[in-house]
Amino acid sequence: MARVRATRPQPATLIPGDGIGPEVIAAAVLAIEAAGGRIVWDVQKAGKASFDESGTPIPDSLIRSIRRTRVGLKGPLETQVGRVGYRSVNVALRKTFDLYANVRPIRTLPGVRSAFSGVDLIVVRENTEDVYSGIEHQIAPGVVEAVKVITARASRRIARYAFELARRERRRRVTAIHKANIMKLSDGLFLACARQVGKLHRRIKYDELIVDNACMQLVLRPQEFDFLLLVNLYGDIVSDLCSGLVGGLGLVPGANVGDRCAIFEAVHGTAPDIAGKGVANPLAAIFSGIMLLRHVGQTAPANRLERAAHRLLAERRVLTPDLGGKATTKKMTERLIALL
Ligand code: ATP
């Protein structure tokens, strides 16, 4: 009998997060373990949970943990709107660990009722600059300026990452999305870098689309897209739009990737309207966990868990309300584990 080489347990930082975060992250941890994933979790608080306890949304222990494990699974964190409160922890984590690529696979899933079938695209978003630098100031009463920063270095880096990922995933076409007709210098620079990198990947077709037109085309014919490359702000908006194409926020996972660390998280936010009610869909967090398992080379449990999740969706018996069912997060997770 062939000897099976035991995988060494992988240390990983676990951030339960705010709102529905702790509910869906607990489900993901159970599912990963049941599928045979070998992860040693280092649980860390961040965001509101940490701010209320220690006065800081990003404690040093969290930074140390991610530096050590270099991989994390994160629940959504509350971001305060307007002038008050601390700056976005999500943005700060991306900056601290230089997680420059945000990756979201958007796929039609079995059994999920949505407007389209046959959607299968990957969205890659530059994660460190654009208007997310948070440089805003009032230049006169009633006049506020926000700065959009685009550099050749970050644009080339994300383009290289995107084309490399497209090649690994056997994608045939990368579409860069922009507004260079208006932001000629900034989006123009981003496009120039994407074109330059694209020329090195002759087997992948490269094209460009203005963001407003891209949104219209995506809601009409999403099946025609293969791989999208965007600057930070358009990426934020367009990737949520893409989640809607395949059944909503409760299903789409994501990764924030840098050269040293990667943090995996669902696309959805804290969902305050359903937090604490035990009805959040855990699958986006679980699919993010599957991405984490693949990232650390634990492919067998990742595949097992993905197959079970597809079966769970296809049988349409035990689903949370966002998918048209009546089940709780707990019941849906138990059914998923039973299907492993
Ligand atoms: P935040 O400010 O943290 O982004 P939000 O309410 O603006 O919170 P989301 O948390 O992404 O944005 O939620 C948008 C909608 O999608 C809400 O109605 C929410 O209930 C629903 N939703 C998000 N995630 C899930 C989930 N995992 N399961 C079920 N519904 C969800």
Side-chain angles (χ1 to χ4, degrees), residues 152-307:
R153 177 181 166 271
S155 303
R156 255 186 237 120
R157 179 168 76 163
I158 193 68
R160 275 192 212 112
Y161 178 88
F163 276 96
E164 201 40 51
L165 180 63
R167 189 187 61 73
R168 281 205 309 274
E169 295 285 326
R170 298 176 198 284
R171 299 288 164 153
R172 289 218 278 267
R173 174 181 165 216
V174 170
T175 306
I177 293 179
H178 66 95
K179 190 77 187 170
N181 52 332
I182 304 295
M183 272 155 282
K184 294 180 195 298
L185 284 183
S186 50
D187 283 5
L189 175 60
F190 183 79
L191 287 184
C193 295
R195 273 176 216 150
Q196 218 175 42
V197 175
K199 285 195 181 122
L200 305 172
H201 293 262
R202 298 253 172 229
R203 283 162 183 257
I204 301 172
K205 183 175 169 338
Y206 169 76
D207 59 6
E208 296 166 355
L209 214 51
I210 295 178
V211 61
D212 33 1
N213 183 18
C215 289
M216 197 265 295
Q217 307 259 0
L218 276 164
V219 298
L220 283 178
R221 292 178 289 275
Q223 303 91 337
E224 289 181 10
F225 290 89
D226 195 10
F227 195 110
L228 309 182
L229 168 63
L230 309 97
V231 292
N232 211 339
L233 180 63
Y234 314 145
D236 190 5
I237 299 164
V238 172
S239 59
D240 268 29
L241 180 153
C242 290
S243 307
L245 300 173
V246 295
L249 288 170
L251 292 167
V252 180
N256 294 297
V257 185
D259 289 334
R260 288 183 57 78
C261 306
I263 299 180
F264 297 82
E265 61 180 329
V267 167
H268 64 71
T270 55
D273 52 336
I274 55 166
K277 296 186 179 156
V279 292
N281 181 350
L283 283 177
I286 291 169
F287 285 131
S288 305
I290 292 172
M291 289 177 84
L292 182 153
L293 287 172
R294 292 201 172 115
H295 178 78
V296 301
Q298 298 192 23
T299 319
N303 293 346
R304 202 173 302 136
L305 192 49
E306 189 171 58
R307 279 195 300 272

Side-chain angles (χ1 to χ4, degrees), residues 13 42-45 50 58-67:
T13 304
D42 180 20
V43 183
Q44 294 287 334
K45 281 189 182 156
S50 160
I58 312 183
D60 287 346
S61 57
L62 168 67
I63 304 286
R64 279 198 302 274
S65 174
I66 298 174
R67 281 220 169 99

Side-chain angles (χ1 to χ4, degrees), residues 23-35:
E23 302 164 45
V24 294
I25 289 292
V29 167
L30 283 177
I32 287 170
E33 200 178 302

Side-chain angles (χ1 to χ4, degrees), residues 15 46-47 56-59 62-63 66-67 74 77-79 86-100 127-128 132-134 232 256 263 265:
I15 306 164
T56 167
I58 312 183
L62 168 67
I63 304 286
I66 298 174
R67 281 220 169 99
K74 180 178 144 313
L77 295 171
E78 196 179 291
T79 301
Y86 46 83
R87 277 188 58 196
S88 162
V89 179
N90 297 321
V91 174
L93 282 177
R94 287 169 199 170
K95 286 201 156 187
T96 306
F97 296 104
D98 203 15
L99 306 172
Y100 59 86
N127 227 358
T128 60
Y132 287 71
S133 312
N232 211 339
N256 294 297
I263 299 180
E265 61 180 329

